[in-house]
Amino acid sequence: MTHWLLVMPIFIPLLTATACAFSFRARSLSSVISWCGAIANLCVAILLMQQVISNGLQVTAFGDWKAPFGIVFVADLLSASMVLITAIIGIAIVLYSTADLRSKPFYAIYHSLIHALLAGVMGSFLTGDIFNLYVFFEVMLITSFGLMVLGANKEQVDAAVKYVVLNLISTMVFLLAIGLLYGATGTLNMADLHAKVAQLPDTTMMLISGLFLFGFAIKASAFPVFSWLPASYHHLPSAIVALYAALLTKVGVYALMRVFTIVFDLVDSGYQPLLIVIAGLTMLTGVLGAASQFNIKRILSFHIISQIGYMLMGLAIYTPLAITGAIFYIIHHIIVKANLFLIGGFLKRKQGSDNLRELGGAYSAMPWLALLFLIPAFSLAGFPPLSGFWGKFLVIKASLLTEDYLLAATALFVGLMTIYSMTKIWAEAFWKPLPENAAAPASLTWKENCLYITPIAVLAVITVLIGLMVEPIYQLAETSATNLLNPQPYINAVLGGDGSPYAASLSIPAAPAGGMQQ
């Protein structure tokens, strides 16, 4: 059972992508295939998560070529959680797209590409060696570029070129780092690298780890290599940009967490002080960029950058509590950011624009949408008891405990500026009257409204549940952080040693009276 559970999160999206490509002449059939594939992937993701929680880390080696010589897929709590949340986003995007993009001539090919993209994302979360991480990164790059140029106008093509150029630089640097690492150690299996990297000369280790840091920083859209994101995302259809915002940069952060815990020790690499600076500047530049914008997609695109800073902050501090907060924040942000882009897309469909100067009256016309906007907006800003509050609380508490006071102050300031941006969207799009020269709101059918609102409502409910039922998510994040910082059970399980320390079931105890501990 373990073998097919680890393979199916990649196989099902690829099979779905192929079937959608062959049904490009039949829109209804493409929708059904895409839906069935997304639901099947969610079921497999749930089963995989249950298996990891019950039985511990899951490993499969292809063709009976054991690690470190063969291709290995590994599922621990962190990767299983990422696969599950990716499957949830996949269903939300497929449903939303059925209303938003069904009239487009590229509709069937679109579904084919998003499932191929999901396969790349899930493969990145499950692979146990660095070269296959590169392969899945390439799958994501090719499919994401394909999505950007579907039915593209001049602006979209220009945005796609900017997106591809910087990401190709990231890919080349990543491949160069892989070549140097293999030349120095003779292996690319992450578990095997843990011991062999420690034997490298310090200068060699710093050079190779620095290349990985640079390559993954571009993927994560960290300071100062984030310009591709705000230059490209705001030109995309809402369903596509919501998928990108939820997943693509998080794969970069995930790769940083894996490589700088299992392969390289961040402290020993010498890059911890630099990563602390990068985290603070990523938060600051992103939120200041958002504050200067007056277009919903541009505001939200810059906020992706600022929120990536919180995740990097958790990794940079490099304590169990900090990495727990970073993992918690990733889970929260995937849900919230996708939802905000979906809401922005619905507003654009209804009122014909996502420029705040041309919007208004949404509260009086659609009070239920106003409520659905406030939930992810308040969560992004860090209002208790929503999910964003807990993620920020954990990383800021960790920074105070390590006496990184300037970083904590930066994080608090960024939170205040995030409130400003969300308030600006509320005041302009929802609260003020619709401008007199604005076009009349579009009339949608009952079915279209349901297809738009259902994923928005479900993601809003998940945001509330994460905030109110924080203890299970905290325990999951805490266990994942512990396993990242103490990777020996992971290494034993992958290389065939005694993996029993990892195999204990995840327990979800009641919250201690003293609250969350470091």
Side-chain angles (χ1 to χ4, degrees):
M1 181 177 181
T2 297
H3 295 277
W4 70 264
L5 275 179
L6 285 168
V7 174
M8 283 297 164
I10 297 97
F11 177 75
I12 291 175
L14 289 177
L15 181 63
T16 306
T18 303
C20 287
F22 278 105
S23 63
F24 70 94
R25 294 179 183 272
R27 294 172 187 264
S28 296
L29 180 58
S30 298
S31 296
V32 171
I33 292 171
S34 184
W35 252 105
C36 291
I39 293 171
N41 220 26
L42 178 61
C43 293
V44 168
I46 292 171
L47 289 174
L48 179 61
M49 188 70 186
Q50 187 275 330
Q51 185 83 349
V52 171
I53 291 175
S54 300
N55 302 315
L57 185 144
Q58 306 294 301
V59 182
T60 188
F62 289 83
D64 289 329
W65 285 82
K66 302 299 182 184
F69 306 106
I71 296 173
V72 177
F73 278 9
V74 187
D76 59 5
L77 277 173
L78 178 57
S79 54
S81 301
M82 293 297 100
V83 166
L84 178 57
I85 202 165
T86 300
I88 292 171
I89 294 298
I91 284 189
I93 297 302
V94 167
L95 179 60
Y96 189 93
S97 303
T98 308
D100 198 49
L101 297 174
R102 186 177 175 84
S103 62
K104 303 294 184 182
F106 55 76
Y107 181 70
I109 301 301
Y110 160 79
H111 278 286
S112 179
L113 288 173
I114 63 169
H115 284 283
L117 178 62
L118 290 173
V121 172
M122 293 193 179
S124 300
F125 292 145
L126 290 173
T127 185
D129 70 87
I130 289 183
F131 183 76
N132 280 311
L133 180 62
Y134 164 78
V135 170
F136 286 119
F137 269 36
E138 286 300 285
V139 172
M140 289 190 297
L141 178 60
I142 293 168
T143 53
S144 59
F145 178 70
L147 286 166
M148 294 184 86
V149 297
L150 280 179
N153 54 31
K154 182 179 177 181
E155 289 182 337
Q156 269 184 258
V157 171
D158 179 63
V161 170
K162 294 173 182 175
Y163 171 84
V164 167
V165 167
L166 266 175
N167 277 276
L168 280 177
I169 293 172
S170 169
T171 297
M172 289 188 290
V173 171
F174 186 14
L175 189 59
L176 174 61
I178 289 173
L180 292 174
L181 185 62
Y182 185 74
T185 63
T187 184
L188 291 174
N189 181 279
M190 285 191 272
D192 196 34
L193 282 167
H194 179 77
K196 293 186 176 179
V197 163
Q199 300 171 9
L200 295 177
D202 289 345
T203 52
T204 303
M205 183 182 67
M206 284 195 68
L207 171 62
I208 297 174
S209 61
L211 290 172
F212 277 114
L213 177 61
F214 179 74
F216 293 149
I218 295 178
K219 295 289 186 184
S221 192
F223 180 90
V225 286
F226 59 80
S227 60
W228 60 269
L229 192 154
S232 58
Y233 274 22
H234 67 282
H235 292 298
L236 300 176
S238 299
I240 296 176
V241 73
L243 181 65
Y244 287 12
L247 299 176
L248 294 191
T249 51
K250 311 312 179 301
V251 176
V253 175
Y254 174 88
L256 282 169
M257 285 186 170
R258 283 288 183 202
V259 169
F260 282 94
T261 53
I262 294 176
V263 179
F264 304 98
D265 184 283
L266 179 62
V267 177
D268 292 343
S269 73
Y271 288 109
Q272 186 184 22
L274 175 62
L275 192 57
I276 289 175
V277 174
I278 289 173
L281 291 176
T282 301
M283 285 188 285
L284 199 58
T285 53
V287 81
L288 292 177
S292 66
Q293 302 300 315
F294 233 77
N295 176 286
I296 292 178
K297 282 182 183 175
R298 283 181 178 270
I299 293 172
L300 297 178
S301 295
F302 274 102
H303 272 303
I304 297 172
I305 299 165
S306 72
Q307 306 301 306
I308 290 295
Y310 285 98
M311 303 167 205
L312 296 180
M313 175 180 173
L315 176 61
I317 295 171
Y318 212 69
T319 64
L321 181 64
I323 296 182
T324 297
I327 294 171
F328 195 109
Y329 205 87
I330 290 173
I331 294 171
H332 136 79
H333 192 260
I334 289 174
I335 298 294
V336 164
K337 184 56 68 173
N339 204 10
L340 285 169
F341 273 106
L342 295 182
I343 293 170
F346 182 69
L347 279 172
K348 184 174 182 179
R349 175 69 186 275
K350 288 288 290 184
Q351 301 193 356
S353 175
D354 56 3
N355 188 313
L356 293 179
R357 295 182 177 89
E358 300 172 6
L359 296 174
Y363 174 76
S364 58
M366 300 173 288
W368 43 270
L369 184 66
L371 174 62
L372 292 175
F373 168 77
L374 287 177
I375 291 171
F378 279 6
S379 182
L380 190 73
F383 278 76
L386 297 170
S387 58
F389 167 77
W390 299 108
K392 290 183 179 181
F393 170 77
L394 291 171
V395 293
I396 291 173
K397 179 181 178 182
S399 66
L400 293 174
L401 291 173
T402 55
E403 299 183 356
D404 291 304
Y405 299 122
L406 182 59
L407 190 60
T410 302
L412 291 171
F413 172 75
V414 169
L416 292 174
M417 292 298 292
T418 304
I419 296 173
Y420 166 75
S421 295
M422 294 301 104
T423 302
K424 180 165 66 174
I425 295 176
W426 168 264
E428 295 292 330
F430 289 90
W431 194 249
K432 80 175 186 187
L434 185 67
E436 293 181 0
N437 59 346
S443 178
L444 303 180
T445 66
W446 179 85
K447 180 180 179 181
E448 286 177 319
N449 276 313
C450 286
L451 290 171
Y452 274 115
I453 296 304
T454 299
I456 292 172
V458 170
L459 294 180
V461 169
I462 293 174
T463 300
V464 173
L465 289 177
I466 293 174
L468 296 180
M469 302 172 62
V470 62
E471 189 64 23
I473 308 298
Y474 171 76
Q475 291 293 332
L476 184 149
E478 183 183 45
T479 305
S480 299
T482 300
N483 293 328
L484 285 175
L485 291 172
N486 302 283
Q488 196 58 49
Y490 175 101
I491 295 164
N492 292 340
V494 172
L495 298 181
D498 179 15
S500 57
Y502 200 102
S505 299
L506 173 67
S507 60
I508 308 294
M516 300 175 183
Q517 302 298 317
Q518 183 180 19

